[in-house]
Amino acid sequence: GLSSGMAHASLRKGLVISQVALTLLLVTVAGGFVRSLYNLKRVDLGLKPDNVLQFSIAPELNGYDNARSLDFFRRLEERTAALPGVRSMSGVEEALLEGNDWGSNVTMEGEPAETAGTHHVLRNGVGVAHFSNLGIPLLEGREFTIQDGPNSAQVAILNETMAKTFFPNSSAIGHHMKFGGGKGPLDIEIVGVVRDSHHSEVKEKPREFVYVPYSQEQSIGHLTYYVRTSQDPASLAGAIRKTVEDLDGSMPIYEEHTFVEQIDRQLSSDRLVAVLATMFGGLAALLAAIGIYGLLAYT
C-alpha cells in the first residue's frame, strides 16, 4: 500500500509539473505575440497618418471617361481644399496600407543593355503635393505640381531605395527612364527622390518604388484621397460627402474612414492572434493554479 501511494503521488506531481511547463510555454508565446503587436503599432511607416481622413471615389462607375474624370478630380480637390479645417489633400491610384500593390518593369538611363527592362519595381500614381501632405520627406528635387498635367512632359519621383539601386554614386535627378523594355525612348524624367515609406503593409520591407502624376496615366477612373485636417478628421466626413454630392449627386463614396483606422485594420489579424494567445495562456495559468492547489490540499 505504501508503494502504491508513493507511485500515485509521483504521478500527480508529474502531471502538475507538465501542466505548469505547458502553461509557461503558452504564457511565453502569448507575451511574444503581444510584444510583436506592440512593436507593429510603433513601426516607423515613413509617413504621418494622424489627423488624416481617407475616402475613395470612382467616376468610372458613372461612365466618366478619362478627361471627365480628371476634370471631376480637379474640381473636387479645389472645393475640398476650401473647406474649413482642411490643411491639405492629395489623391492616389492605389490606396495605401490596404494590401494592394502595382508594379512594372523599368528601363533606366545608363543601365546595361542585358538588364534593361528586366527590373521589376512598385509604382503608384499620386497627386500634387502628395508627399508633403502625408509627411513623407523630400530628399532631392521637387514634388509634382499642377503643371505636371496630361499634356506636359512626363515626370517621375523615386523612393530612396530605388535611387540608391540605380544611381548609387550619383544623383538620380535629371536622368530618364521608361516603363517596360524595348528600344523606345526614355521619355520620363526623374525630378525628385523621397524617403522610403510603407505602401502595402505595415510589416513590409523597403522596395524600389516609382511615383508618377496620376494625371499623366493613360486611364484614371478612381482615386483614394487623403485629407489632412486641423481637427478631428471624422468630423469633416459629412462636409466632404456634401461636396461630392454637389458635383455629382449620383457619385458613390466608399472606404471612408481615418487613416489611423485603416492601419488598425491592417493589424486586426495580429491583434486577434495576440488576444487569443493571451486568453489561452490565462486559462492555462488558471488551470495550473487549480491543479497546484488541489495537489497541495490533497497532500
Side-chain angles (χ1 to χ4, degrees):
L2 180 61
S3 174
S4 176
M6 292 179 63
H8 281 228
S10 297
L11 177 61
R12 288 192 295 269
K13 291 178 181 179
L15 289 175
V16 171
I17 291 172
S18 300
Q19 189 177 31
V20 171
L22 179 60
T23 298
L24 180 61
L25 175 62
L26 288 174
V27 171
T28 302
V29 170
F33 281 123
V34 171
R35 182 66 180 178
S36 177
L37 178 63
Y38 176 86
N39 291 335
L40 284 175
K41 290 180 70 68
R42 283 155 181 79
V43 166
D44 182 8
L45 301 175
L47 47 78
K48 298 177 181 178
D50 297 331
N51 293 326
V52 174
L53 178 71
Q54 73 172 80
F55 67 94
S56 298
I57 194 162
E60 63 183 357
L61 298 180
N62 280 22
Y64 282 46
D65 59 18
N66 197 58
R68 286 188 66 197
S69 293
L70 289 175
D71 181 65
F72 182 88
F73 294 142
R74 178 187 57 79
R75 291 184 291 134
L76 175 60
E77 291 168 13
E78 290 175 351
R79 295 196 183 191
T80 303
L83 292 175
V86 173
R87 296 173 56 188
S88 59
M89 71 178 297
S90 60
V92 302
E93 286 191 84
E94 287 291 333
L96 308 181
L97 299 174
E98 292 192 4
N100 304 320
D101 61 40
W102 172 29
S104 299
N105 286 13
V106 295
T107 300
M108 304 295 293
E109 182 179 337
E111 190 177 4
E114 59 271 17
T115 62
T118 63
H119 201 110
H120 188 80
V121 303
L122 299 179
R123 62 181 289 188
N124 201 359
V126 304
V128 173
H130 167 72
F131 305 103
S132 58
N133 178 47
L134 290 186
I136 302 173
L138 180 69
L139 302 180
E140 287 186 85
R142 65 172 179 87
E143 288 204 51
F144 300 135
T145 67
I146 194 66
Q147 283 73 36
D148 298 315
N151 300 318
S152 304
Q154 297 187 69
V155 292
I157 293 176
L158 311 184
N159 73 341
E160 188 175 8
T161 294
M162 185 167 176
K164 289 180 178 178
T165 298
F166 289 98
F167 306 99
N169 301 315
S170 62
S171 172
I173 305 302
H175 288 83
H176 290 76
M177 58 166 285
K178 70 174 181 176
F179 291 109
K183 297 182 179 180
L186 304 178
D187 54 357
I188 303 175
E189 181 182 357
I190 300 169
V191 297
V193 176
V194 295
R195 184 159 294 166
D196 294 338
S197 61
H198 290 227
H199 170 76
S200 179
E201 297 180 351
V202 173
K203 294 182 282 187
E204 70 185 13
K205 295 182 179 180
R207 292 180 57 186
E208 292 89 351
F209 210 105
V210 57
Y211 302 89
V212 297
Y214 72 72
S215 59
Q216 293 187 348
E217 295 285 18
Q218 293 183 352
S219 178
I220 174 70
H222 67 276
L223 286 180
T224 296
Y225 277 105
Y226 296 88
V227 183
R228 183 168 297 280
T229 69
S230 57
Q231 58 195 54
D232 179 13
S235 65
L236 282 174
I240 290 176
R241 284 195 297 270
K242 180 65 167 56
T243 301
V244 174
E245 183 179 347
D246 290 343
L247 292 172
D248 186 338
S250 62
M251 185 70 66
I253 293 181
Y254 55 99
E255 292 296 331
E256 185 181 33
H257 46 256
T258 68
F259 200 7
V260 172
E261 289 173 341
Q262 177 57 43
I263 296 173
D264 288 340
R265 290 183 182 185
Q266 264 272 316
L267 299 177
S268 60
S269 59
D270 298 271
R271 186 180 297 106
L272 177 61
V273 170
V275 169
L276 290 176
T278 302
M279 290 175 59
F280 283 120
L283 179 60
L286 177 62
L287 292 176
I290 294 174
I292 293 172
Y293 173 79
L295 177 63
L296 292 175
Y298 183 82
T299 303

